[in-house]
């Protein structure tokens, strides 16, 4: 028996691909129908990590399998109203940015995702939240495509620039990637003879105490379940009581 899940993507690169992989597995299991909600930043970030162009594998576009973009919604986020009307068995927010978690901790509902969360709470729909900034300290996170200026020699004919299907590479002194155009397709990575384009470079990121505290605050709200890693989503959703 299929049941419906609302999946919210916020503007976080951390664990985004991993979350996508879990939803793909869930949809392929034919157990769930997924409606995907993207915040404005979520749409941008999913694009540069190459996830936006893969979402149609999860969202057929049919009723309750749509991709809902914040930028298409009015200020009242009418589609978030589905949560209070009991259309979904659960809401999953993964990855959840520090920004979205902070807003939810304060009861603010002024974006598509925070509004969906508020409506879920009002409709007694459980919310599974996977915050990127979970515990204060250093975490490793992956960048989208970047050109390493130390490696790039600035060829006269830059092949990645010529062949980028999205015209996302510009010369600003040296070639640089315009993240507002990049779709994370990685075509450029294999074209640079000097391997100067790196996708998924790991960097250190400090999680603030403030963000950890906000996670603690939302964990105390009724119906909120905090997840530490996207791999926990599969079991959480699979064990939902459909009766
Ligand atoms: C490439 C990229 C990756 C980002 N990754 C994260 C992240 O992992 N965690 C986070 O809290 N913010 C991250 N941000 C910053 C958020 O996108 C930004 O705070 C935004 O305002 C969040 O809006 P939202 O919470 O409505 O989606 C990232 C931004 C960019 C451009």
């Amino acid at each position: 028996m299929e049941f419906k899940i609302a999946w919210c993507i916020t503007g976080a690169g951390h664990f985004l691909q991993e979350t996508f992989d879990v939803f793909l597995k869930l949809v392929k299991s034919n157990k769930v129908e997924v409606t995907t909600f993207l915040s404005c930043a979520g749409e941008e970030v999913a694009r540069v990590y190459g996830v936006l162009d893969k979402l149609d594998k999860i969202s057929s576009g049919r009723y309750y399998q749509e991709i809902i973009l914040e930028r298409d919604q009015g200020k009242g986020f009418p589609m978030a109203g589905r949560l209070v009307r009991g259309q979904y068995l659960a809401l999953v927010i993964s990855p959840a940015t520090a920004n979205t978690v902070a807003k939810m901790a304060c009861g603010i509902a002024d974006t598509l995702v925070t509004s969906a969360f508020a409506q879920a709470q009002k409709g007694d729909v459980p919310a599974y939240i996977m915050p990127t900034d979970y515990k204060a300290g250093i975490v490793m996170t992956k960048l989208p495509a970047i050109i390493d200026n130390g490696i790039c020699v600035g060829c006269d004919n830059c092949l990645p620039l010529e062949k980028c299907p999205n015209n996302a590479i510009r010369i600003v002194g040296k070639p640089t990637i315009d993240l507002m155009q990049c779709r994370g397709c990685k075509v450029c990575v294999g074209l640079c003879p000097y391997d100067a384009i790196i996708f998924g470079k790991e960097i250190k990121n400090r999680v603030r105490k403030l963000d950890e505290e906000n996670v603690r605050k939302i964990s105390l709200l009724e119906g909120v379940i905090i997840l530490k890693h996207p791999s926990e989503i599969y079991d959480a959703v699979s064990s939902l009581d459909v009766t």
Side-chain angles (χ1 to χ4, degrees):
M1 185 171 147
E2 278 193 354
F3 53 91
K4 298 178 186 65
I5 298 289
W7 172 30
C8 293
I9 302 176
T10 61
H14 196 53
F15 287 147
L16 176 58
Q17 179 63 52
E18 291 84 346
T19 304
F20 173 82
D21 292 341
V22 171
F23 272 95
L24 188 59
K25 195 172 149 196
L26 278 167
V27 167
K28 282 190 169 167
S29 75
N30 287 325
K31 275 193 273 191
V32 295
E33 282 188 285
V34 176
T35 309
T36 312
F37 296 78
L38 289 106
S39 72
C40 288
E43 183 184 354
E44 283 177 24
V45 172
R47 179 172 36 71
V48 295
Y49 283 91
V51 168
L52 191 63
D53 285 341
K54 293 187 219 159
L55 282 180
D56 58 352
K57 290 187 183 161
I58 285 166
S59 320
S60 71
R62 288 202 299 272
Y63 204 34
Y64 286 107
Q65 296 179 15
E66 311 100 322
I67 297 170
I68 296 170
L69 304 176
E70 177 169 358
R71 67 178 158 93
D72 293 338
Q73 294 282 298
K75 284 289 174 195
F77 310 108
M79 291 303 250
R82 283 184 181 178
L83 273 306
V84 80
R85 287 188 279 116
Q87 307 293 322
Y88 298 102
L89 212 53
L91 170 72
V92 178
I93 307 178
S94 179
T97 58
N99 174 63
T100 286
V101 170
K103 287 186 174 186
M104 293 188 298
C106 296
I108 296 171
D110 66 349
T111 62
L112 178 61
V113 174
T114 53
S115 185
F117 174 70
Q119 298 297 322
Q121 291 255 285
K122 292 175 188 186
D124 287 327
V125 176
Y128 294 85
I129 301 171
M130 209 284 310
T132 59
D133 291 36
Y134 171 77
K135 197 166 176 19
I138 301 292
V139 292
M140 298 305 287
T141 192
K142 290 180 187 150
L143 294 176
I146 51 152
I147 301 182
D148 187 326
N149 269 340
I151 302 175
C152 173
V153 298
C155 303
D156 286 341
N157 294 318
C158 173
L159 215 55
L161 182 147
E162 280 170 25
K163 303 272 186 199
C164 171
N166 304 300
N167 291 319
I169 302 183
R170 322 214 171 293
I171 303 288
V172 187
K174 275 189 170 183
T176 180
I177 296 177
D178 177 354
L179 286 181
M180 291 310 287
Q181 299 300 323
C182 177
R183 301 195 76 87
C185 69
K186 304 182 199 165
V187 165
C188 57
V189 174
L191 290 174
C192 173
Y194 295 92
D195 294 329
I197 306 186
I198 304 158
F199 190 98
K201 181 178 177 176
E202 289 220 328
I203 55 157
K204 280 184 190 168
N205 191 11
R206 178 176 296 282
V207 173
R208 304 173 300 180
K209 281 217 170 72
L210 169 73
D211 297 317
E212 180 181 319
E213 179 56 19
N214 285 331
V215 172
R216 199 189 63 81
K217 277 187 194 159
I218 60 168
S219 75
L220 300 175
L221 298 174
E222 212 168 308
V224 170
I225 304 102
I226 302 292
L227 306 176
K228 292 180 193 157
H229 190 272
S231 58
E232 294 172 37
I233 296 170
Y234 190 87
D235 285 345
V237 169
S238 300
S239 63
L240 286 168
D241 187 0
V242 288
T243 54

